[in-house]
Amino acid sequence: TTPVESEVVVVGIAAGADPGDGDGGSDAAPVVVAPGLDGEVTAALATLAHSVGASTKVGSTTRVPAPEGVPGRSVVLVGLGSSDDAVDDETLRRAAGAAARACRGLGAALVLLDAGRAEAVALGAALGSFRPAKVTAKNDDDDKADTVKVFVAEGGEDAVTRAATIAECVGLARDLVNTPPNLLFPGSFADRAAELAAAAGLEVEIMDEADLADGGYGGILAVGGGSSRPPRLVRLTHRGNENRPPVALVGKGVTFDTGGISIKPAAGMEQMTMDMGGAAAVVATVILAARLGLDLTVVATVPMAENMPSSTAYRPGDVLTMYGGTTVEVQNTDAEGRLILADAIVRACEDSPSHLIDTATLTGAQMVALGKKSPGVMGTEEFRDRVAELSRGVGEGGWPMPLPEELRDGLDSQVADLTNVTPHRWGGMLSAGLFLSEFVAEGVEWAHVDVAGPAYNDGGAEGYLPKGGTGVPVRTMLAVLEDIAAAG
Ligand code: BES
Ligand code: MN
Ligand code: ZN
């Protein structure tokens, strides 16, 4: 079939077989992957790609004028790696994402990578088309024209619609993370989440500081107490299948983390605007569950607070009574995420969920252990492994990590049930996980996903990942919810 006419046409190029001349590389023309174009046109593209030395590295892009017979003005050649390797879904998503970024500002783009896998191609392209919002008084019509409109070869209309919905919700999480901390604070975040959730047909409950005080939410109130902008607890419910228990999602919503009285160094502190990445992902995921009509009840419990130093701030040495009655000695006000999560986890467990996923930009130790692109997944063993595996399947890279018993002693307190930090720095991500485990109700299958690195890309854009908020782990949580809905 002849694809629609478009400004730019995206085709894949893979390295041909090594001719065996001993230089270890391929001197042959690349293999062109362009379903829908006929043999002659494909051959012309291969010659063109070869003559300009277009790279076949996954996600490399080269723009060339369109030869006769291509339904567009120019062609973006995108690398798919070696033609010897089967192209997996993540490679397709990354290539489509990189291509979409290369097409930005050029108008409509037609992506001809693999007609049989429309969802992977469409999702990569849609995620890669994301444009970060700008705070500006200027008319941003020009910026909007810059947004590339992507078409996928043929077929799979449902897959393309689904991919667009997923990409929109990932985009929502990215936009929330990218919103500067003077504009996104607990009150405004809660209102925005409520507005978006109501539009998607969710039930919404916002608890303000008075409600939190009445309820005894000692962790959220302490962490939020130093700010003139008081904390919130937001609850969003998608009512799906009423014949089985709900699944709970909990996300850390620290709208800015100065460290509080245990203040952070100035260098790099501006990045702590992303410390609500877990909350953003949870809000986006429950909205996505509703928009996809998931046959499962999903309840999001999202604590929001700004961690500031002031005369009303909580201090090192304070003993807090958390929601549910557990007492915690604060030894470091910068270990604040676990305190607001603890309250939220106890509240979430009151709904008797079968499973609970919490996610948070919780520890710098996550990055020390696993780097910037592999979320650390802890929790009850079976569910932890299932979440990590599904996360890798969608390209978000979750990796299972232990909760070693010997670290638990480090959380013992002289004066309370627990302290919020250990006296040593070993296994910081795992100690945080152990702290949270104390608040998860018996019998609940639980996964804790630490996305301190993966939620935010402080390097350059690559593949379908933009700079700034990444939207991780929205697609992991969607995959888990769909797996639970399917398997029970
Ligand atoms: N929000 C930070 C963790 C973080 C650090 C996220 C860097 C993203 C990038 C968290 O609240 C924090 O400050 N954690 C401390 C814990 C420590 C005091 C036990 C940390 O990781 O240093
Ligand atoms: Mn902190
Ligand atoms: Zn934090």
Side-chain angles (χ1 to χ4, degrees):
T1 54
T2 315
V4 296
E5 190 74 22
S6 165
E7 285 298 316
V8 204
V9 175
V10 175
V11 305
I13 52 172
D18 184 345
D21 58 5
D23 71 357
S26 172
D27 305 317
V31 175
V32 171
V33 180
L37 298 185
D38 71 26
E40 242 173 81
V41 179
T42 302
L45 281 167
T47 307
L48 193 53
H50 192 45
S51 64
V52 300
S55 168
T56 53
K57 193 168 165 256
V58 177
S60 282
T61 56
T62 309
R63 187 162 158 239
V64 295
E68 190 67 34
V70 171
R73 280 194 229 250
S74 63
V75 173
V76 167
L77 305 162
V78 62
L80 292 174
S82 158
S83 62
D84 297 341
D85 308 328
V87 177
D88 62 19
D89 279 357
E90 179 62 4
T91 300
L92 271 183
R93 285 189 291 260
R94 286 186 190 172
R101 284 190 294 104
C103 293
R104 195 168 294 158
L106 301 177
L110 174 67
V111 187
L112 302 178
L113 288 181
D114 188 330
R117 283 186 290 169
E119 184 175 329
V121 175
L123 184 55
L127 290 170
S129 306
F130 173 82
R131 282 194 63 266
K134 229 182 198 154
V135 181
T136 174
K138 282 189 263 166
N139 183 334
D140 67 349
D141 281 356
D142 289 353
D143 284 356
K144 287 205 190 87
D146 197 39
T147 308
V148 45
K149 189 154 172 42
V150 174
F151 304 98
V152 174
E154 56 183 294
E157 228 176 84
D158 289 351
V160 173
T161 310
R162 176 181 152 84
T165 304
I166 295 171
E168 270 176 42
C169 290
V170 171
L172 164 62
R174 291 172 175 178
D175 280 333
L176 288 168
V177 169
N178 292 338
T179 307
N182 60 324
L183 303 181
L184 190 99
F185 49 91
S188 66
F189 189 7
D191 290 348
R192 180 102 183 97
E195 178 193 351
L196 292 163
L202 300 172
E203 286 168 30
V204 176
E205 181 195 2
I206 300 181
M207 298 179 74
D208 66 14
E209 68 275 27
D211 301 324
L212 292 167
D214 286 347
Y217 289 83
I220 300 171
L221 287 167
V223 172
S227 175
S228 60
R229 306 187 294 182
R232 296 285 182 267
L233 181 64
V234 173
R235 304 243 312 151
L236 308 173
T237 303
H238 161 63
R239 292 231 177 262
N241 194 328
E242 295 289 341
N243 296 319
R244 52 160 105 176
V247 173
L249 303 179
V250 174
K252 172 181 174 181
V254 172
T255 60
F256 195 75
D257 183 12
T258 64
I261 297 297
S262 312
I263 199 163
K264 288 180 181 297
M269 196 196 277
E270 72 286 346
Q271 287 202 5
M272 284 303 125
T273 181
M274 48 66 92
D275 211 18
M276 32 58 71
V282 162
V283 168
T285 302
V286 71
I287 289 173
L288 182 52
R291 289 189 53 183
L292 294 174
L294 207 70
D295 185 27
L296 189 67
T297 294
V298 181
V299 187
T301 303
V302 191
M304 300 170 177
E306 184 175 48
N307 190 18
M308 297 289 272
S310 78
S311 69
T312 60
Y314 76 136
R315 336 155 174 67
D318 283 0
V319 173
L320 314 177
T321 299
M322 313 294 280
Y323 185 64
T326 302
T327 57
V328 176
E329 177 191 359
V330 176
Q331 288 188 346
N332 187 322
T333 64
D334 197 12
E336 84 296 341
R338 63 197 73 183
L339 298 173
I340 69 169
L341 288 171
D343 278 356
I345 286 170
V346 173
R347 174 63 190 90
C349 286
E350 288 179 348
D351 304 325
S352 305
S354 57
H355 302 75
L356 185 153
I357 305 176
D358 79 78
T359 185
T361 50
L362 202 59
T363 66
Q366 178 275 321
M367 290 179 274
V368 176
L370 291 170
K372 288 279 302 173
K373 290 189 174 170
S374 302
V377 186
M378 290 140 277
T380 53
E381 284 183 23
E382 227 177 282
F383 189 51
R384 170 199 71 191
D385 290 347
R386 185 173 168 197
V387 169
E389 192 174 329
L390 287 163
S391 178
R392 292 195 298 281
V394 300
E396 289 188 332
W399 201 262
M401 297 295 283
L403 294 174
E405 221 177 290
E406 83 271 10
L407 288 175
R408 175 59 187 77
D409 284 355
L411 296 172
D412 284 342
S413 165
Q414 294 268 9
V415 295
D417 297 326
L418 292 168
T419 66
N420 74 331
V421 291
T422 63
H424 57 75
R425 55 192 196 86
W426 313 119
M429 168 171 58
L430 317 177
S431 297
L434 279 165
F435 181 90
L436 297 179
S437 75
E438 298 284 327
F439 297 89
V440 179
E442 205 65 47
V444 176
E445 303 220 51
W446 166 58
H448 160 56
V449 185
D450 193 334
V451 289
Y456 193 74
N457 177 13
D458 48 16
E462 64 176 299
Y464 55 74
L465 281 190
K467 275 177 73 121
T470 61
V472 175
V474 169
R475 290 182 305 116
T476 295
M477 289 190 283
L478 174 64
V480 175
L481 293 174
E482 290 189 322
D483 196 53
I484 293 170

